[in-house]
Amino acid sequence: MTKKDYYEVLGLSRGASADEVKKAYRNLALKYHPDRVQADKKKEAEERFKEISEAYEVLIDPQKKGTYDQYGHEAVDNSFKQGGFTWQDFHHFDDLKDIFGGFDLNDLFRGFGTDEEGGGGRRRAGPRRGRDLEYEIEISFEDAVSGTEKTITIPRNETCDECNGSGAKPGTKPQTCPDCGGQGRVSSSGGFFNIVRTCPRCGGTGSIIKTPCPECGGAGRIKAQRNIKVKIPAGVDSGSRLRMHGEGEAGEKGGPRGDLYLLIYVRQHEMFERHDSDIVCEVPISYVTAVLGGEVEVPTIEGKIMMKIPPGTQGDRVFRLRGRGVAHLHDRGRGDQLVKVLIDVPTEVTQDQKKALKELARVSGEGGGPLARSFLEKMRRIFR
């Protein structure tokens, strides 16, 4: 839905001064505050009051106004905490006090918006879901490739068995708060305002405990250590985040448990590296094997195998072992293992080896290999 132009919302022309913005907002705020309209028009007035307050928040602030004038709604929306205006983004309560008098505007604005905890500053009196937990777990490279099962120990809030989560001593029950009648909120009138705030006696829970449970002290939950079996699927990598439904903290007043999130870290391997679903390793071969061909022992995640090396193999050549990589986490099949061969040039040679190498060089001639021949051909073309 396209937003109205802020100047149009306040009935102003572009270039309006700060005094003109304040005056327009004052008149419209008095007109559209929900407590000054008939009951059947309260919802519409609430939306209109929020709309003019959003326009005022932007146009009264020189920096936001300049950004809006140049780039429009999208640019200023990014400056709001939720990517769009909420009452948490309104910073001009003193201006409203001038308009409406000396009311506690923090309490006043709890009357707008949501009943959820944090949105309008009020708590729900009924069951509440437990908090989610996050646990970091380190596993080996092999476990990440093949999958594994671990047992972890986490501290979390559990429902108190003594009082079954009520917080009251066994044999007694929580009583309805006499101040709010179990609503968790109290209201008071001031002029045309109906100010709603959290009940100070019960803290918004709607009930009070006269005789607390001796085990949990009235909290309804206790801190405990729990051992949990964790199944880690094949194919996870460092940074993978696994969700375990219902393994977070216990809820309050019979609310459901939160979830447990496992953050995976994979230890580095001394021989293997992982590239997506492929495993990469480097294997040294002798000069003789590179020239004449042969077989070389290659490590894989399942164990050692023998791999054929064809004659004339060049250094840094990569061989592919299909299906010996990492299992695809969200699909069937596995990646491959890539084996990069490195020609192992000896740093020390005997006199007999030197003679043999010199004889090889003599009979091979200059540029005996394909790389050397290609290089010499390029040299001739460039420097002829």
Side-chain angles (χ1 to χ4, degrees), residues 193-228:
F193 287 108
N194 184 35
I195 302 173
V196 181
R197 57 183 175 179
T198 300
C199 176
R201 183 165 185 178
C202 67
T205 63
S207 61
I208 56 174
I209 298 173
K210 285 195 171 182
T211 310
C213 169
E215 184 69 22
C216 64
R221 299 185 298 174
I222 58 172
K223 185 69 75 173
Q225 299 276 349
R226 286 292 179 263
N227 295 327
I228 300 174

PDB file of all heavy atoms in Angstrom, residues 193-228:
ATOM      1  N   PHE A 193      -8.429  11.300  28.311  1.00  0.00           N
ATOM      2  CA  PHE A 193      -7.526  10.162  28.179  1.00  0.00           C
ATOM      3  C   PHE A 193      -8.005   9.003  29.031  1.00  0.00           C
ATOM      4  O   PHE A 193      -8.550   9.190  30.115  1.00  0.00           O
ATOM      5  CB  PHE A 193      -6.107  10.518  28.645  1.00  0.00           C
ATOM      6  CG  PHE A 193      -5.378  11.411  27.705  1.00  0.00           C
ATOM      7  CD1 PHE A 193      -5.155  12.742  28.029  1.00  0.00           C
ATOM      8  CD2 PHE A 193      -4.920  10.924  26.510  1.00  0.00           C
ATOM      9  CE1 PHE A 193      -4.487  13.562  27.174  1.00  0.00           C
ATOM     10  CE2 PHE A 193      -4.238  11.742  25.643  1.00  0.00           C
ATOM     11  CZ  PHE A 193      -4.022  13.069  25.967  1.00  0.00           C
ATOM     12  N   ASN A 194      -7.752   7.792  28.546  1.00  0.00           N
ATOM     13  CA  ASN A 194      -7.913   6.587  29.339  1.00  0.00           C
ATOM     14  C   ASN A 194      -6.547   5.916  29.375  1.00  0.00           C
ATOM     15  O   ASN A 194      -6.145   5.251  28.424  1.00  0.00           O
ATOM     16  CB  ASN A 194      -8.957   5.660  28.729  1.00  0.00           C
ATOM     17  CG  ASN A 194      -9.205   4.454  29.603  1.00  0.00           C
ATOM     18  OD1 ASN A 194      -9.161   4.550  30.820  1.00  0.00           O
ATOM     19  ND2 ASN A 194      -9.460   3.310  28.972  1.00  0.00           N
ATOM     20  N   ILE A 195      -5.784   6.150  30.453  1.00  0.00           N
ATOM     21  CA  ILE A 195      -4.395   5.715  30.513  1.00  0.00           C
ATOM     22  C   ILE A 195      -4.333   4.281  31.027  1.00  0.00           C
ATOM     23  O   ILE A 195      -4.836   3.971  32.101  1.00  0.00           O
ATOM     24  CB  ILE A 195      -3.576   6.647  31.426  1.00  0.00           C
ATOM     25  CG1 ILE A 195      -3.658   8.079  30.910  1.00  0.00           C
ATOM     26  CG2 ILE A 195      -2.128   6.183  31.516  1.00  0.00           C
ATOM     27  CD1 ILE A 195      -3.033   9.093  31.838  1.00  0.00           C
ATOM     28  N   VAL A 196      -3.707   3.399  30.229  1.00  0.00           N
ATOM     29  CA  VAL A 196      -3.590   1.980  30.564  1.00  0.00           C
ATOM     30  C   VAL A 196      -2.135   1.671  30.873  1.00  0.00           C
ATOM     31  O   VAL A 196      -1.241   2.073  30.140  1.00  0.00           O
ATOM     32  CB  VAL A 196      -4.072   1.095  29.399  1.00  0.00           C
ATOM     33  CG1 VAL A 196      -3.954  -0.384  29.780  1.00  0.00           C
ATOM     34  CG2 VAL A 196      -5.508   1.443  29.023  1.00  0.00           C
ATOM     35  N   ARG A 197      -1.888   0.935  31.972  1.00  0.00           N
ATOM     36  CA  ARG A 197      -0.521   0.587  32.326  1.00  0.00           C
ATOM     37  C   ARG A 197      -0.487  -0.774  33.014  1.00  0.00           C
ATOM     38  O   ARG A 197      -1.524  -1.301  33.437  1.00  0.00           O
ATOM     39  CB  ARG A 197       0.082   1.649  33.235  1.00  0.00           C
ATOM     40  CG  ARG A 197      -0.692   1.890  34.506  1.00  0.00           C
ATOM     41  CD  ARG A 197      -0.072   3.008  35.322  1.00  0.00           C
ATOM     42  NE  ARG A 197      -0.870   3.316  36.490  1.00  0.00           N
ATOM     43  CZ  ARG A 197      -0.549   4.242  37.390  1.00  0.00           C
ATOM     44  NH1 ARG A 197       0.547   4.944  37.229  1.00  0.00           N
ATOM     45  NH2 ARG A 197      -1.315   4.468  38.435  1.00  0.00           N
ATOM     46  N   THR A 198       0.729  -1.324  33.111  1.00  0.00           N
ATOM     47  CA  THR A 198       0.912  -2.615  33.764  1.00  0.00           C
ATOM     48  C   THR A 198       0.540  -2.510  35.241  1.00  0.00           C
ATOM     49  O   THR A 198       0.901  -1.545  35.910  1.00  0.00           O
ATOM     50  CB  THR A 198       2.379  -3.071  33.633  1.00  0.00           C
ATOM     51  OG1 THR A 198       2.699  -3.191  32.254  1.00  0.00           O
ATOM     52  CG2 THR A 198       2.606  -4.410  34.313  1.00  0.00           C
ATOM     53  N   CYS A 199      -0.172  -3.519  35.718  1.00  0.00           N
ATOM     54  CA  CYS A 199      -0.573  -3.523  37.122  1.00  0.00           C
ATOM     55  C   CYS A 199       0.669  -3.582  38.013  1.00  0.00           C
ATOM     56  O   CYS A 199       1.470  -4.528  37.895  1.00  0.00           O
ATOM     57  CB  CYS A 199      -1.475  -4.729  37.406  1.00  0.00           C
ATOM     58  SG  CYS A 199      -1.938  -4.883  39.148  1.00  0.00           S
ATOM     59  N   PRO A 200       0.874  -2.601  38.886  1.00  0.00           N
ATOM     60  CA  PRO A 200       2.088  -2.599  39.713  1.00  0.00           C
ATOM     61  C   PRO A 200       2.103  -3.684  40.785  1.00  0.00           C
ATOM     62  O   PRO A 200       3.166  -4.088  41.239  1.00  0.00           O
ATOM     63  CB  PRO A 200       2.061  -1.206  40.350  1.00  0.00           C
ATOM     64  CG  PRO A 200       0.630  -0.802  40.353  1.00  0.00           C
ATOM     65  CD  PRO A 200       0.026  -1.421  39.124  1.00  0.00           C
ATOM     66  N   ARG A 201       0.949  -4.198  41.152  1.00  0.00           N
ATOM     67  CA  ARG A 201       0.905  -5.183  42.231  1.00  0.00           C
ATOM     68  C   ARG A 201       1.319  -6.579  41.749  1.00  0.00           C
ATOM     69  O   ARG A 201       2.088  -7.271  42.424  1.00  0.00           O
ATOM     70  CB  ARG A 201      -0.503  -5.234  42.837  1.00  0.00           C
ATOM     71  CG  ARG A 201      -0.594  -6.197  44.030  1.00  0.00           C
ATOM     72  CD  ARG A 201      -1.852  -5.967  44.822  1.00  0.00           C
ATOM     73  NE  ARG A 201      -1.896  -6.792  46.027  1.00  0.00           N
ATOM     74  CZ  ARG A 201      -2.866  -6.761  46.925  1.00  0.00           C
ATOM     75  NH1 ARG A 201      -3.880  -5.913  46.759  1.00  0.00           N
ATOM     76  NH2 ARG A 201      -2.844  -7.547  47.981  1.00  0.00           N
ATOM     77  N   CYS A 202       0.801  -6.997  40.594  1.00  0.00           N
ATOM     78  CA  CYS A 202       1.114  -8.349  40.106  1.00  0.00           C
ATOM     79  C   CYS A 202       2.148  -8.349  38.992  1.00  0.00           C
ATOM     80  O   CYS A 202       2.535  -9.420  38.504  1.00  0.00           O
ATOM     81  CB  CYS A 202      -0.158  -9.047  39.619  1.00  0.00           C
ATOM     82  SG  CYS A 202      -0.879  -8.301  38.124  1.00  0.00           S
ATOM     83  N   GLY A 203       2.595  -7.157  38.573  1.00  0.00           N
ATOM     84  CA  GLY A 203       3.603  -7.083  37.517  1.00  0.00           C
ATOM     85  C   GLY A 203       3.096  -7.513  36.166  1.00  0.00           C
ATOM     86  O   GLY A 203       3.873  -7.864  35.283  1.00  0.00           O
ATOM     87  N   GLY A 204       1.768  -7.517  35.981  1.00  0.00           N
ATOM     88  CA  GLY A 204       1.199  -7.873  34.685  1.00  0.00           C
ATOM     89  C   GLY A 204       0.806  -9.325  34.550  1.00  0.00           C
ATOM     90  O   GLY A 204       0.287  -9.731  33.518  1.00  0.00           O
ATOM     91  N   THR A 205       1.033 -10.141  35.601  1.00  0.00           N
ATOM     92  CA  THR A 205       0.700 -11.564  35.497  1.00  0.00           C
ATOM     93  C   THR A 205      -0.777 -11.840  35.735  1.00  0.00           C
ATOM     94  O   THR A 205      -1.288 -12.884  35.329  1.00  0.00           O
ATOM     95  CB  THR A 205       1.515 -12.385  36.510  1.00  0.00           C
ATOM     96  OG1 THR A 205       1.161 -11.980  37.841  1.00  0.00           O
ATOM     97  CG2 THR A 205       3.013 -12.180  36.302  1.00  0.00           C
ATOM     98  N   GLY A 206      -1.452 -10.952  36.404  1.00  0.00           N
ATOM     99  CA  GLY A 206      -2.874 -11.145  36.685  1.00  0.00           C
ATOM    100  C   GLY A 206      -3.150 -11.941  37.941  1.00  0.00           C
ATOM    101  O   GLY A 206      -4.308 -12.146  38.303  1.00  0.00           O
ATOM    102  N   SER A 207      -2.095 -12.434  38.615  1.00  0.00           N
ATOM    103  CA  SER A 207      -2.309 -13.218  39.829  1.00  0.00           C
ATOM    104  C   SER A 207      -1.195 -12.923  40.824  1.00  0.00           C
ATOM    105  O   SER A 207      -0.113 -12.459  40.458  1.00  0.00           O
ATOM    106  CB  SER A 207      -2.353 -14.716  39.514  1.00  0.00           C
ATOM    107  OG  SER A 207      -1.129 -15.139  38.949  1.00  0.00           O
ATOM    108  N   ILE A 208      -1.466 -13.215  42.073  1.00  0.00           N
ATOM    109  CA  ILE A 208      -0.466 -13.034  43.122  1.00  0.00           C
ATOM    110  C   ILE A 208      -0.352 -14.338  43.910  1.00  0.00           C
ATOM    111  O   ILE A 208      -1.311 -15.109  43.995  1.00  0.00           O
ATOM    112  CB  ILE A 208      -0.818 -11.871  44.074  1.00  0.00           C
ATOM    113  CG1 ILE A 208      -2.208 -12.075  44.692  1.00  0.00           C
ATOM    114  CG2 ILE A 208      -0.734 -10.541  43.354  1.00  0.00           C
ATOM    115  CD1 ILE A 208      -2.566 -11.041  45.738  1.00  0.00           C
ATOM    116  N   ILE A 209       0.850 -14.590  44.439  1.00  0.00           N
ATOM    117  CA  ILE A 209       1.100 -15.816  45.199  1.00  0.00           C
ATOM    118  C   ILE A 209       1.353 -15.425  46.649  1.00  0.00           C
ATOM    119  O   ILE A 209       2.353 -14.779  46.961  1.00  0.00           O
ATOM    120  CB  ILE A 209       2.310 -16.577  44.619  1.00  0.00           C
ATOM    121  CG1 ILE A 209       2.025 -16.985  43.176  1.00  0.00           C
ATOM    122  CG2 ILE A 209       2.644 -17.783  45.477  1.00  0.00           C
ATOM    123  CD1 ILE A 209       3.215 -17.585  42.464  1.00  0.00           C
ATOM    124  N   LYS A 210       0.456 -15.833  47.501  1.00  0.00           N
ATOM    125  CA  LYS A 210       0.596 -15.491  48.920  1.00  0.00           C
ATOM    126  C   LYS A 210       1.546 -16.431  49.653  1.00  0.00           C
ATOM    127  O   LYS A 210       2.260 -16.036  50.557  1.00  0.00           O
ATOM    128  CB  LYS A 210      -0.781 -15.497  49.592  1.00  0.00           C
ATOM    129  CG  LYS A 210      -1.632 -14.281  49.232  1.00  0.00           C
ATOM    130  CD  LYS A 210      -2.801 -14.135  50.189  1.00  0.00           C
ATOM    131  CE  LYS A 210      -3.518 -12.801  49.959  1.00  0.00           C
ATOM    132  NZ  LYS A 210      -4.639 -12.605  50.922  1.00  0.00           N
ATOM    133  N   THR A 211       1.531 -17.713  49.239  1.00  0.00           N
ATOM    134  CA  THR A 211       2.419 -18.697  49.871  1.00  0.00           C
ATOM    135  C   THR A 211       3.278 -19.336  48.782  1.00  0.00           C
ATOM    136  O   THR A 211       2.855 -20.295  48.139  1.00  0.00           O
ATOM    137  CB  THR A 211       1.615 -19.789  50.613  1.00  0.00           C
ATOM    138  OG1 THR A 211       0.637 -19.177  51.458  1.00  0.00           O
ATOM    139  CG2 THR A 211       2.543 -20.668  51.440  1.00  0.00           C
ATOM    140  N   PRO A 212       4.491 -18.807  48.554  1.00  0.00           N
ATOM    141  CA  PRO A 212       5.326 -19.313  47.449  1.00  0.00           C
ATOM    142  C   PRO A 212       5.788 -20.754  47.675  1.00  0.00           C
ATOM    143  O   PRO A 212       5.931 -21.214  48.811  1.00  0.00           O
ATOM    144  CB  PRO A 212       6.525 -18.362  47.451  1.00  0.00           C
ATOM    145  CG  PRO A 212       6.092 -17.163  48.230  1.00  0.00           C
ATOM    146  CD  PRO A 212       5.102 -17.669  49.231  1.00  0.00           C
ATOM    147  N   CYS A 213       6.025 -21.447  46.600  1.00  0.00           N
ATOM    148  CA  CYS A 213       6.580 -22.799  46.648  1.00  0.00           C
ATOM    149  C   CYS A 213       7.990 -22.746  47.239  1.00  0.00           C
ATOM    150  O   CYS A 213       8.820 -21.940  46.800  1.00  0.00           O
ATOM    151  CB  CYS A 213       6.625 -23.386  45.231  1.00  0.00           C
ATOM    152  SG  CYS A 213       7.563 -24.908  45.082  1.00  0.00           S
ATOM    153  N   PRO A 214       8.309 -23.573  48.231  1.00  0.00           N
ATOM    154  CA  PRO A 214       9.641 -23.515  48.850  1.00  0.00           C
ATOM    155  C   PRO A 214      10.754 -23.994  47.912  1.00  0.00           C
ATOM    156  O   PRO A 214      11.915 -23.658  48.096  1.00  0.00           O
ATOM    157  CB  PRO A 214       9.510 -24.455  50.062  1.00  0.00           C
ATOM    158  CG  PRO A 214       8.381 -25.378  49.708  1.00  0.00           C
ATOM    159  CD  PRO A 214       7.439 -24.580  48.882  1.00  0.00           C
ATOM    160  N   GLU A 215      10.404 -24.762  46.892  1.00  0.00           N
ATOM    161  CA  GLU A 215      11.408 -25.298  45.976  1.00  0.00           C
ATOM    162  C   GLU A 215      11.874 -24.255  44.968  1.00  0.00           C
ATOM    163  O   GLU A 215      13.063 -24.105  44.697  1.00  0.00           O
ATOM    164  CB  GLU A 215      10.846 -26.528  45.243  1.00  0.00           C
ATOM    165  CG  GLU A 215      11.826 -27.232  44.328  1.00  0.00           C
ATOM    166  CD  GLU A 215      12.945 -27.935  45.093  1.00  0.00           C
ATOM    167  OE1 GLU A 215      12.756 -28.234  46.294  1.00  0.00           O
ATOM    168  OE2 GLU A 215      13.997 -28.182  44.486  1.00  0.00           O
ATOM    169  N   CYS A 216      10.925 -23.513  44.379  1.00  0.00           N
ATOM    170  CA  CYS A 216      11.271 -22.545  43.324  1.00  0.00           C
ATOM    171  C   CYS A 216      11.117 -21.099  43.766  1.00  0.00           C
ATOM    172  O   CYS A 216      11.376 -20.177  42.979  1.00  0.00           O
ATOM    173  CB  CYS A 216      10.423 -22.780  42.073  1.00  0.00           C
ATOM    174  SG  CYS A 216       8.644 -22.503  42.328  1.00  0.00           S
ATOM    175  N   GLY A 217      10.659 -20.875  45.012  1.00  0.00           N
ATOM    176  CA  GLY A 217      10.506 -19.515  45.512  1.00  0.00           C
ATOM    177  C   GLY A 217       9.405 -18.730  44.849  1.00  0.00           C
ATOM    178  O   GLY A 217       9.427 -17.497  44.843  1.00  0.00           O
ATOM    179  N   GLY A 218       8.451 -19.434  44.234  1.00  0.00           N
ATOM    180  CA  GLY A 218       7.325 -18.759  43.576  1.00  0.00           C
ATOM    181  C   GLY A 218       7.528 -18.534  42.102  1.00  0.00           C
ATOM    182  O   GLY A 218       6.621 -18.059  41.413  1.00  0.00           O
ATOM    183  N   ALA A 219       8.720 -18.894  41.560  1.00  0.00           N
ATOM    184  CA  ALA A 219       8.996 -18.648  40.134  1.00  0.00           C
ATOM    185  C   ALA A 219       8.282 -19.649  39.241  1.00  0.00           C
ATOM    186  O   ALA A 219       8.015 -19.362  38.072  1.00  0.00           O
ATOM    187  CB  ALA A 219      10.496 -18.696  39.872  1.00  0.00           C
ATOM    188  N   GLY A 220       7.984 -20.831  39.747  1.00  0.00           N
ATOM    189  CA  GLY A 220       7.338 -21.849  38.933  1.00  0.00           C
ATOM    190  C   GLY A 220       8.327 -22.650  38.093  1.00  0.00           C
ATOM    191  O   GLY A 220       7.959 -23.640  37.466  1.00  0.00           O
ATOM    192  N   ARG A 221       9.594 -22.237  38.088  1.00  0.00           N
ATOM    193  CA  ARG A 221      10.628 -22.930  37.330  1.00  0.00           C
ATOM    194  C   ARG A 221      11.914 -22.979  38.144  1.00  0.00           C
ATOM    195  O   ARG A 221      12.147 -22.114  38.998  1.00  0.00           O
ATOM    196  CB  ARG A 221      10.891 -22.238  35.990  1.00  0.00           C
ATOM    197  CG  ARG A 221       9.676 -22.192  35.068  1.00  0.00           C
ATOM    198  CD  ARG A 221      10.016 -21.619  33.712  1.00  0.00           C
ATOM    199  NE  ARG A 221      10.487 -20.243  33.800  1.00  0.00           N
ATOM    200  CZ  ARG A 221      10.952 -19.551  32.761  1.00  0.00           C
ATOM    201  NH1 ARG A 221      11.007 -20.106  31.564  1.00  0.00           N
ATOM    202  NH2 ARG A 221      11.354 -18.306  32.912  1.00  0.00           N
ATOM    203  N   ILE A 222      12.732 -23.976  37.869  1.00  0.00           N
ATOM    204  CA  ILE A 222      14.026 -24.109  38.537  1.00  0.00           C
ATOM    205  C   ILE A 222      15.107 -24.329  37.486  1.00  0.00           C
ATOM    206  O   ILE A 222      14.838 -24.840  36.392  1.00  0.00           O
ATOM    207  CB  ILE A 222      14.031 -25.279  39.548  1.00  0.00           C
ATOM    208  CG1 ILE A 222      13.677 -26.598  38.842  1.00  0.00           C
ATOM    209  CG2 ILE A 222      13.077 -25.002  40.697  1.00  0.00           C
ATOM    210  CD1 ILE A 222      13.839 -27.818  39.723  1.00  0.00           C
ATOM    211  N   LYS A 223      16.330 -23.949  37.814  1.00  0.00           N
ATOM    212  CA  LYS A 223      17.462 -24.160  36.915  1.00  0.00           C
ATOM    213  C   LYS A 223      17.970 -25.581  37.082  1.00  0.00           C
ATOM    214  O   LYS A 223      18.167 -26.052  38.192  1.00  0.00           O
ATOM    215  CB  LYS A 223      18.572 -23.157  37.219  1.00  0.00           C
ATOM    216  CG  LYS A 223      19.745 -23.223  36.262  1.00  0.00           C
ATOM    217  CD  LYS A 223      19.372 -22.742  34.857  1.00  0.00           C
ATOM    218  CE  LYS A 223      19.256 -21.240  34.799  1.00  0.00           C
ATOM    219  NZ  LYS A 223      19.058 -20.748  33.420  1.00  0.00           N
ATOM    220  N   ALA A 224      18.174 -26.278  35.953  1.00  0.00           N
ATOM    221  CA  ALA A 224      18.622 -27.670  36.013  1.00  0.00           C
ATOM    222  C   ALA A 224      19.550 -27.970  34.842  1.00  0.00           C
ATOM    223  O   ALA A 224      19.539 -27.277  33.821  1.00  0.00           O
ATOM    224  CB  ALA A 224      17.414 -28.610  35.986  1.00  0.00           C
ATOM    225  N   GLN A 225      20.378 -29.003  35.014  1.00  0.00           N
ATOM    226  CA  GLN A 225      21.248 -29.496  33.943  1.00  0.00           C
ATOM    227  C   GLN A 225      20.544 -30.665  33.266  1.00  0.00           C
ATOM    228  O   GLN A 225      20.051 -31.569  33.937  1.00  0.00           O
ATOM    229  CB  GLN A 225      22.590 -29.965  34.518  1.00  0.00           C
ATOM    230  CG  GLN A 225      23.385 -28.879  35.220  1.00  0.00           C
ATOM    231  CD  GLN A 225      24.209 -28.052  34.254  1.00  0.00           C
ATOM    232  OE1 GLN A 225      24.361 -28.395  33.090  1.00  0.00           O
ATOM    233  NE2 GLN A 225      24.741 -26.946  34.738  1.00  0.00           N
ATOM    234  N   ARG A 226      20.516 -30.650  31.938  1.00  0.00           N
ATOM    235  CA  ARG A 226      19.854 -31.730  31.210  1.00  0.00           C
ATOM    236  C   ARG A 226      20.783 -32.299  30.146  1.00  0.00           C
ATOM    237  O   ARG A 226      21.439 -31.557  29.416  1.00  0.00           O
ATOM    238  CB  ARG A 226      18.568 -31.219  30.550  1.00  0.00           C
ATOM    239  CG  ARG A 226      17.426 -30.977  31.529  1.00  0.00           C
ATOM    240  CD  ARG A 226      16.923 -32.298  32.106  1.00  0.00           C
ATOM    241  NE  ARG A 226      15.830 -32.110  33.064  1.00  0.00           N
ATOM    242  CZ  ARG A 226      15.977 -32.068  34.372  1.00  0.00           C
ATOM    243  NH1 ARG A 226      17.187 -32.172  34.893  1.00  0.00           N
ATOM    244  NH2 ARG A 226      14.934 -31.922  35.167  1.00  0.00           N
ATOM    245  N   ASN A 227      20.832 -33.642  30.055  1.00  0.00           N
ATOM    246  CA  ASN A 227      21.577 -34.322  29.003  1.00  0.00           C
ATOM    247  C   ASN A 227      20.639 -34.585  27.829  1.00  0.00           C
ATOM    248  O   ASN A 227      19.559 -35.166  28.015  1.00  0.00           O
ATOM    249  CB  ASN A 227      22.155 -35.649  29.510  1.00  0.00           C
ATOM    250  CG  ASN A 227      23.201 -35.445  30.589  1.00  0.00           C
ATOM    251  OD1 ASN A 227      23.933 -34.462  30.564  1.00  0.00           O
ATOM    252  ND2 ASN A 227      23.280 -36.363  31.534  1.00  0.00           N
ATOM    253  N   ILE A 228      21.049 -34.145  26.658  1.00  0.00           N
ATOM    254  CA  ILE A 228      20.198 -34.263  25.482  1.00  0.00           C
ATOM    255  C   ILE A 228      20.975 -34.962  24.370  1.00  0.00           C
ATOM    256  O   ILE A 228      22.112 -34.600  24.069  1.00  0.00           O
ATOM    257  CB  ILE A 228      19.736 -32.878  24.986  1.00  0.00           C
ATOM    258  CG1 ILE A 228      18.951 -32.167  26.075  1.00  0.00           C
ATOM    259  CG2 ILE A 228      18.893 -33.002  23.724  1.00  0.00           C
ATOM    260  CD1 ILE A 228      18.582 -30.743  25.715  1.00  0.00           C
TER     261      ILE A 228
END
